[in-house]
């Protein structure tokens, strides 16, 4: 029996494209970006874990700000004076929700990568858990992609609303967000391809066993 069908080969390629998109979205700081033509914008760009400001006044000192945050920092930066005080502002509930679900998405894709390496290089169709492995890959990708879709939907609904980042009318969703959307959708496609592959391999195994049984009966006759 041929170890992989077309759906399995395409599923691997599709997964790799989606995985690269998820890595880029997870690690880059361009989920929300300020219009570069606005010279007095307070925010530059922000991602899940990193924020870049041009001159963000301390939200706790709205009336007469004495401290301004400039430059790019990790959102959990423990070294910048006053940064921990505005963490609640930087991470409202919707942002924490986005981080949580996209982290689940990233981890699911990462685990799927290990299983796909096992599927494509180590195990063959003779292994007793071969079909279970393919089904597990499809299930993990489905779970991760759904988590990714939840994350980008939540951010799309609340990420550029009035009352959070300044100058929201001049802000727009950046390439990190767009790539994250693409990666989540591609993950759903890859998941479907692996479920199809699992079904194909199941039918191949069934046909092979039936042919072996038929051959054995004919040999005895």
């Amino acid at each position: 029996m041929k170890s992989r069908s077309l759906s399995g080969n395409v599923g691997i390629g599709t997964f790799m494209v989606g995985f690269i998109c998820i890595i880029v979205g997870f690690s880059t700081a361009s989920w929300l970006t300020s219009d570069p033509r606005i010279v007095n914008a307070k925010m530059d760009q922000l991602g899940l874990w990193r924020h870049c400001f041009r001159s963000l006044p301390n939200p706790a000192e709205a009336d007469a700000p004495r401290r301004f945050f400039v430059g790019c920092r990790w959102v959990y930066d423990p070294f910048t004076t006053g940064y921990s005080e505005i963490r609640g502002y930087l991470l409202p509930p919707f942002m924490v929700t986005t981080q949580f679900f996209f982290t689940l998405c990233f981890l699911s894709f990462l685990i799927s990568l290990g299983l796909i390496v096992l599927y494509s290089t180590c195990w063959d169709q003779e292994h007793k858990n071969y079909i279970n492995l393919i089904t597990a890959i499809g299930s993990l990708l489905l779970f991760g992609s759904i988590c990714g879709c939840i994350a980008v939907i939540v951010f799309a609904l609340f990420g550029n609303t009035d009352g959070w980042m300044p100058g929201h009318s001049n802000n727009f969703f950046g390439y990190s967000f767009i790539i994250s959307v693409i990666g989540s959708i591609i993950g759903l496609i890859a998941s479907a391809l692996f479920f199809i592959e699992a079904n194909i391999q199941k039918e191949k195994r069934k046909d092979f066993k039936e042919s072996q049984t038929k051959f054995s009966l004919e040999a005895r006759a």
Side-chain angles (χ1 to χ4, degrees), residues 15 19 106-117 137 140:
F15 163 78
F19 184 51
F106 173 75
L107 292 175
S108 297
F109 272 67
L110 191 63
I111 296 172
S112 296
L113 176 64
L115 296 181
I116 287 175
V117 171
I137 293 171
L140 262 176

Side-chain angles (χ1 to χ4, degrees), residues 9-73:
N9 290 323
V10 175
I12 293 174
T14 304
F15 163 78
M16 292 307 300
V17 175
F19 184 51
I20 291 172
C21 290
I22 295 300
I23 290 176
V24 172
F26 186 77
S27 58
T28 55
S30 188
W31 279 60
L32 189 66
T33 303
S34 176
D35 190 334
R37 296 171 297 180
I38 307 300
V39 295
N40 60 344
K42 296 178 175 61
M43 184 200 75
D44 187 10
Q45 61 180 3
L46 63 86
L48 296 180
W49 315 106
R50 186 174 172 84
H51 296 69
C52 297
F53 301 115
R54 297 180 188 177
S55 182
L56 179 72
N58 190 341
E61 303 170 346
D63 296 332
R66 294 171 295 171
R67 180 181 296 151
F68 294 82
F69 298 93
V70 181
C72 298
R73 290 177 179 81

Side-chain angles (χ1 to χ4, degrees), residues 16 34 36 55 85 90 93 98 116 121 126 139 165-167 182 220:
M16 292 307 300
S34 176
S55 182
E85 299 172 7
L90 298 176
T98 301
I116 287 175
T121 61
E126 302 299 331
S139 300
M165 285 295 143
I182 295 172
R220 291 180 182 178

